[in-house]
Amino acid sequence: MPTTLPVPIEFRLPEGWLPARPEGFDPGVAFAAVHPQPDAGFTANITIDGGFPKDGVALAEIADASVERLREFAESVEVVHRREAGSEDAPALTQRLGFSFDTDGARHELVQTQVYLFLVDTGDPHKRAMIRLALTATAAQHDSLLGDFQDFVRTVRPDDGAGS
């Protein structure tokens, strides 16, 4: 069963991407979308999850924990790139991971780009929620889909309920 996000957000999927049932993904996923053209039997996907981290926990610590969780079921997990961004009030972190994963008897070399954002809880401005956005694709397809993912990330914002 999919989880809910700690704060409501709004976003726009890149053209051609299709919403998917989050049940087929990690149990913590609140939203998932898939690319319409699989590569070598693997369907690229975008997922969204999040939570309320403990006070004082840095995004780098959350990203490190994500790497360790991935190591529980994937092989050769490597942090290829990591960069902190954003501001003190709205920090962000991006990281790119490379790993191997076996599914349905086939081995896939995958790349996952993760973006971590801290958002203020509009119900309680003293609480900060963490949202993780992730693109997972084969190593061969990842770079061609990265622009779609970056466009998607730029559309993510807190949903204040006002509608647009």
Side-chain angles (χ1 to χ4, degrees), residues 94-116:
T94 61
Q95 72 179 3
R96 182 181 291 199
L97 309 174
F99 60 97
S100 299
F101 184 73
D102 292 330
T103 180
D104 298 327
R107 183 174 194 80
H108 299 282
E109 296 302 320
L110 302 178
V111 176
Q112 185 175 80
T113 295
Q114 301 174 335
V115 175
Y116 294 84

